Amino acid sequence: MTRDAARTPVIPGFFPDPSVCRVGDGYYLVNSSFEYAPGIPIHHSRDLRTWTQLGNVLTRESQFPPGGSAASRGIYAPTIRHRDGMFFVVGTNVERGGEQFVVTAIDPAGPWSDPIVFPGLGGIDPDLAWDDDGRCFLTYCALDEALRPEHGSLPVIAQVRVDLARGIRLEDPRVIWRGTGLAHPEGPHLYRRGEWWYLLTAEGGTERGHAVCVARSRAIDGPFEAAPANPIFSRRSTGFPVQNTGHADLVERPDGSWAMVYLGVRPRGFTPGFHVLGRETFLARVAWVDDWPVVHTDDVLPTRPDTAFTDDFATADPHPRWVSPHGALPGPHPAGGLALGSHEFAVRVRDLRWRFEARVDVSAAVALRVRLDEQHWYEIALEAGAAEVRARIGPLEASVGSASATGDVVTLLVEAVDATHDGPDDLRFGVLDADSERWIAALDGRYLSTEVAGGFTGRTLALRALRPTPARVVSVRYVPLGDE
């Protein structure tokens, strides 16, 4: 099957707000992580098409305390840049008044420094750029009322010169761009190409009206003029299978050509269309016409991203794909495997159709949850030799089926399969034990979608103990179903 970049994410699943930089012949990409810790996943690629997760940027409590964020808050829209042998990631912790912070590393796999915090810059989506004199500029989406009194509730793009060595700002922030007229100008990135500085932004909001816009100036601090063809990229008001496209970042390849990473979603089902994986990372190529970027999405991707995995916790530490929305990751169990606590031990769902298996002790009190947030989840819970399927949608919670489980080890099952109604999929739950594999209940997947729950994240698969005594998980297996 031919895969084109317009329809196929290069990093599928909940990996939004991509930012990329190149060092030599390697590319490094970071994404928003919101409430999940460790925070800010970082990937590496040699070709922009095939990506491998190196780890996470925020791995210590001194960088991002676990359990400190509500759903779809926490860490927003980081930018990654490289200069003079050092990697820089600048991001926003919205739980701390929208403060902007910078962490650094020589090795992108870590360790990363503790944050350099720049207070008094209320906003989101920061960017770092250096001018020809080596001065560092932090450009961000400002939410401070003092910077936008005549602009109503719309944010503006602001800029401030900073000293990263001393961790201070050198001036008051100033507005450099108010957008092209669409809603919510945000996600700024600055680039130098030839005699021009380019300011790339997201506009229209991160839903169906999302778009990529660009402006340029002879100076890093403006004044900026808008491209005559803005927005330079959007899928709004189309029937294209990938929607909400925007929040992009540009990178120059070694041969002088340019590429763009951006976020998009894959809604499915009847109107309004339901996306369940969150916002994913896509790739486009960029041509330059009259010194303006023109976006093309006709590249052919060589293979489907390899999302299948098996993790045997009896023999290896957790892969960096594992995160938690509320607490530290679990440690080893005395009997082998992982000792689950009450905090959810989670991994992002990567595909539209998939199967997940978790092998656990039959004596354990443990749950396998498909989670969008605290108010929207389905789970299968094993306790006292019985498996029960439960659902929560907003304030409503109910049991929807149960079955006995036999044997010493039980495999909890969940699959995302084709929808039987008008939703994006059905989620069915079951067990594999000494007797057989059998399904207990199937639930409409639309209620675990962003269109129902709101927010900015995607589904995760989470394991947790139901009692204070740690529960042992032996291994897990995730496989995609079908060919997307």
Side-chain angles (χ1 to χ4, degrees):
M1 176 181 177
T2 299
R3 302 186 180 279
D4 66 89
R7 293 171 175 81
T8 307
V10 290
I11 307 181
F14 156 41
F15 292 98
D17 306 322
S19 175
V20 64
C21 73
R22 178 178 62 85
V23 182
D25 61 355
Y27 301 90
Y28 301 89
L29 185 145
V30 293
N31 301 96
S32 295
S33 50
F34 298 97
E35 70 264 33
Y36 288 89
I40 310 183
I42 182 167
H43 286 76
H44 173 258
S45 176
R46 293 289 184 186
D47 60 4
L48 291 171
R49 293 168 172 79
T50 303
W51 294 88
T52 301
Q53 187 175 353
L54 294 178
N56 297 278
V57 172
L58 306 180
T59 60
R60 305 186 302 276
E61 291 192 20
S62 59
Q63 297 171 312
F64 178 47
S69 296
S72 289
R73 292 184 62 82
I75 304 300
Y76 278 26
T79 296
I80 186 168
R81 296 294 183 255
H82 183 267
R83 180 179 173 86
D84 297 334
M86 183 72 71
F87 287 90
F88 299 82
V89 167
V90 57
T92 306
N93 186 343
V94 301
E95 292 290 2
R96 297 189 176 184
E99 71 179 17
Q100 317 304 322
F101 67 89
V102 178
V103 292
T104 62
I106 296 174
D107 184 346
W112 291 77
S113 71
D114 283 348
I116 303 165
V117 177
F118 295 96
L121 303 179
I124 56 174
D125 303 357
D127 173 83
L128 289 180
W130 290 261
D131 69 6
D132 293 340
D133 296 323
R135 300 182 301 169
C136 183
F137 291 80
L138 193 156
T139 306
Y140 65 106
C141 170
L143 304 177
D144 187 347
E145 293 288 347
L147 290 175
R148 52 191 178 101
E150 74 282 7
H151 213 58
S153 61
L154 288 181
V156 294
I157 305 303
Q159 189 181 81
V160 60
R161 195 157 54 91
V162 297
D163 185 329
L164 295 180
R166 292 187 290 165
I168 60 172
R169 71 185 202 192
L170 301 176
E171 59 187 356
D172 291 331
R174 61 192 176 279
V175 177
I176 63 167
W177 186 243
R178 298 191 182 278
T180 67
L182 299 178
H184 305 295
E186 57 191 7
H189 291 302
L190 276 167
Y191 318 90
R192 179 68 176 268
R193 180 180 180 274
E195 298 299 315
W196 293 103
W197 280 96
Y198 291 88
L199 175 64
L200 196 74
T201 61
E203 293 193 28
T206 195
E207 294 81 31
R208 294 296 193 265
H210 212 196
V212 180
C213 296
V214 70
R216 69 185 183 188
S217 172
R218 297 290 187 182
I220 193 172
D221 55 354
F224 288 90
E225 62 168 322
N230 274 328
I232 62 169
F233 184 58
S234 181
R235 298 294 190 193
R236 59 185 184 171
S237 300
T238 71
F240 201 76
V242 175
Q243 289 289 321
N244 302 29
T245 52
H247 203 111
D249 198 7
L250 302 179
V251 65
E252 186 178 7
R253 294 186 173 100
D255 64 3
S257 64
W258 288 67
M260 183 179 86
V261 293
Y262 63 96
L263 69 80
V265 307
R266 292 183 283 171
R268 297 294 185 269
F270 193 58
T271 185
F274 304 93
H275 77 277
V276 300
L277 300 184
R279 299 170 299 163
E280 308 176 271
T281 294
F282 289 78
L283 175 69
R285 63 182 177 88
V286 172
W288 293 88
V289 179
D290 297 329
D291 285 328
W292 290 110
V294 177
V295 180
H296 298 276
T297 59
D298 56 357
D299 278 7
V300 175
L301 300 180
T303 58
R304 181 188 184 282
D306 183 10
T307 56
F309 67 88
T310 299
D311 283 346
D312 184 349
F313 300 121
T315 60
D317 292 332
H319 187 277
R321 67 172 66 94
W322 290 94
V323 292
S324 174
H326 296 301
L329 300 184
H333 194 282
L338 284 184
L340 290 178
S342 59
H343 295 307
E344 291 156 318
F345 179 54
V347 64
R348 294 166 173 87
V349 175
R350 309 293 303 277
D351 301 276
L352 298 176
R353 302 290 179 265
W354 48 268
R355 175 184 172 103
F356 187 76
E357 307 170 355
R359 296 184 69 236
V360 300
D361 286 342
V362 72
S363 60
V366 61
L368 165 57
R369 175 176 290 186
V370 183
R371 178 189 195 272
L372 196 64
D373 59 32
E374 287 299 297
Q375 305 297 316
H376 300 83
W377 50 260
Y378 303 153
E379 72 177 14
I380 181 168
L382 177 69
E383 190 168 16
E388 180 187 20
V389 178
R390 302 190 288 234
R392 177 157 189 172
I393 304 167
L396 305 178
E397 188 171 333
S399 174
V400 294
S402 63
S404 62
T406 61
D408 294 331
V409 176
V410 173
T411 300
L412 302 178
L413 306 174
V414 58
E415 287 186 353
V417 297
D418 290 344
T420 54
H421 300 291
D422 293 325
D425 57 7
D426 282 359
L427 293 169
R428 62 177 185 174
F429 294 81
V431 295
L432 171 62
D433 62 10
D435 291 334
S436 64
E437 175 179 308
R438 56 198 181 278
W439 299 103
I440 301 171
L443 297 166
D444 191 329
R446 79 182 71 196
Y447 301 107
L448 303 190
S449 71
T450 300
E451 282 72 18
V452 170
F456 303 122
T457 61
R459 288 179 183 169
T460 61
L461 296 161
L463 294 159
R464 65 184 182 92
L466 299 175
R467 297 287 178 261
T469 304
R472 185 173 77 108
V473 55
V474 179
S475 63
V476 300
R477 177 173 176 260
Y478 173 92
V479 291
L481 301 177
D483 192 15
E484 296 172 4

